[in-house]
Amino acid sequence: MGSRTTNDILAELEKEKLEKEALTEDEMSARYSQLLAGDSSKIDMFDFANDLGSSKLLHYHFSLICQQWDSFPIKYKELFHSFYRHDIDGIDFLFETLTARTQEKYHCQIAHLIASCLTKFTHRDFYQESRKKLIPYLRQFTDIKDNEQRRNIIITIGWLGSVSDIQLLCQHMRNDEDSLCRAWSASSLMQMSFHGVTVKSITSRTREDFIAAIEAEINLFTLGCIVESAQILWKKKWVSTSSVEKVDEEKILKAKASAIRFLSKQ
């Protein structure tokens, strides 16, 4: 038996693509029911979610995600993470849904889903336009009362935000009532430096905010996250990630003193 040629491989991939695009809602609905009824594994759900993301069943896929949002906590997140496979059609669909009054209760979660999808498309022509279109919604939803949803939105601003969002994150790092929102705000400031915002733009605008947040923070894990984010931005080494994750009080408090001492001299 001869080895397969490049054309053979491409033909096989195209056949598989067409087969997944031809999947019907009845087929996928029956398959999903079996997954829920049986003792399905993450791999089973992963395969189902990837097939659904490769299909033309945008509305059905989104309806399953909404079902999961309604039954929080979500056991399997594969459906959420595979929606990007619908490509620009999926992005356009989500923006249409984001402005629909009938889906208003999901608007914050839809914005988070769009942001998650866009992180897969930073190299595509539609990325910048879609990012600019989404940012006003993300800013609006930073005030949502639900802590879990607010955390997700704060994280997405770290992926997609600009210099204009630095002070918004600083406000949440210092004043948000939820400790994880404060932690993720600091992390998002650091994440911005990996997503198009220069380190200098961040450090020149946040030094006093980091000092104030570090001095005032009483939650040890959150304190560790804020100090760790600051040390990455200022290229220092005050605390290890493992010490933060383990909530090592002695090491975190020692790092706090070092961070305040350094930042106060800048």
Side-chain angles (χ1 to χ4, degrees), residues 30-96:
R31 190 171 157 191
Y32 189 60
S33 295
Q34 289 179 340
L35 285 173
L36 295 183
D39 187 19
S40 59
S41 66
K42 287 198 68 172
I43 294 176
D44 295 329
M45 188 60 77
F46 178 82
D47 289 341
F48 172 81
N50 281 344
D51 287 349
L52 187 55
S54 301
S55 75
K56 298 293 187 181
L57 303 173
L58 275 166
H59 288 78
Y60 177 61
H61 192 164
F62 180 70
S63 72
L64 295 186
I65 293 174
C66 288
Q67 287 178 23
Q68 291 196 327
W69 285 337
D70 288 337
S71 59
F72 187 85
I74 298 171
K75 183 178 180 182
Y76 296 111
K77 297 185 179 180
E78 285 75 15
L79 288 170
F80 180 97
H81 292 302
S82 67
F83 199 88
Y84 80 94
R85 291 179 175 274
H86 294 295
D87 206 84
I88 184 61
D89 289 339
I91 298 293
D92 289 342
F93 168 81
L94 290 174
F95 270 117
E96 289 176 11

Side-chain angles (χ1 to χ4, degrees), residues 210-221:
F210 267 104
I211 293 173
I214 292 169
E215 287 180 333
E217 187 55 60
I218 59 174
N219 181 288
L220 274 177
F221 175 75

Side-chain angles (χ1 to χ4, degrees), residues 5-236:
T5 66
T6 300
N7 287 339
D8 291 333
I9 295 172
L10 292 175
E12 185 177 320
L13 291 173
E14 180 63 18
K15 179 183 177 183
E16 181 180 345
K17 176 176 178 288
L18 293 174
E19 287 175 348
K20 290 184 177 180
E21 288 179 350
L23 289 168
T24 67
E25 184 171 331
D26 286 342
E27 289 176 311
M28 297 304 284
S29 180
R31 190 171 157 191
Y32 189 60
S33 295
Q34 289 179 340
L35 285 173
L36 295 183
D39 187 19
S40 59
S41 66
K42 287 198 68 172
I43 294 176
D44 295 329
M45 188 60 77
F46 178 82
D47 289 341
F48 172 81
N50 281 344
D51 287 349
L52 187 55
S54 301
S55 75
K56 298 293 187 181
L57 303 173
L58 275 166
H59 288 78
Y60 177 61
H61 192 164
F62 180 70
S63 72
L64 295 186
I65 293 174
C66 288
Q67 287 178 23
Q68 291 196 327
W69 285 337
D70 288 337
S71 59
F72 187 85
I74 298 171
K75 183 178 180 182
Y76 296 111
K77 297 185 179 180
E78 285 75 15
L79 288 170
F80 180 97
H81 292 302
S82 67
F83 199 88
Y84 80 94
R85 291 179 175 274
H86 294 295
D87 206 84
I88 184 61
D89 289 339
I91 298 293
D92 289 342
F93 168 81
L94 290 174
F95 270 117
E96 289 176 11
T97 311
L98 184 59
T99 58
R101 289 183 177 274
T102 55
Q103 302 290 350
E104 191 168 358
K105 73 172 183 175
Y106 300 122
H107 280 180
C108 181
Q109 290 152 307
I110 293 169
H112 178 218
L113 178 54
I114 295 173
S116 179
C117 292
L118 285 178
T119 61
K120 307 289 187 181
F121 300 127
T122 55
H123 61 294
R124 299 287 293 277
D125 292 342
F126 60 81
Y127 171 76
Q128 287 297 342
E129 182 180 350
S130 298
R131 173 187 160 276
K132 290 178 182 177
K133 187 176 178 180
L134 181 62
I135 283 292
Y137 290 101
L138 298 181
R139 291 170 180 162
Q140 173 188 340
F141 293 136
T142 57
D143 289 331
I144 195 166
K145 291 182 179 179
D146 183 278
N147 288 342
E148 183 68 27
Q149 292 188 44
R150 195 165 69 258
R151 293 167 194 164
N152 288 335
I153 293 298
I154 285 170
I155 290 169
T156 63
I157 290 178
W159 303 337
L160 304 176
S162 67
V163 170
S164 301
D165 299 297
I166 289 175
Q167 281 308 307
L168 176 63
L169 291 176
C170 285
Q171 290 170 16
H172 281 276
M173 177 174 68
R174 294 179 61 174
N175 302 317
D176 200 291
E177 64 182 18
D178 178 68
S179 62
L180 285 180
C181 282
R182 298 194 298 274
W184 302 159
S185 295
S187 296
S188 285
L189 286 166
M190 176 267 295
Q191 281 294 324
M192 278 185 166
S193 68
F194 304 129
H195 294 90
V197 182
T198 66
V199 170
K200 185 176 180 180
S201 295
I202 301 170
T203 55
S204 64
R205 291 169 170 81
T206 62
R207 183 183 67 86
E208 292 182 0
D209 292 288
F210 267 104
I211 293 173
I214 292 169
E215 287 180 333
E217 187 55 60
I218 59 174
N219 181 288
L220 274 177
F221 175 75
T222 299
L223 174 59
C225 289
I226 296 173
V227 170
E228 186 177 22
S229 297
Q231 76 179 9
I232 292 172
L233 287 168
W234 273 274
K235 296 180 172 58
K236 306 300 289 185

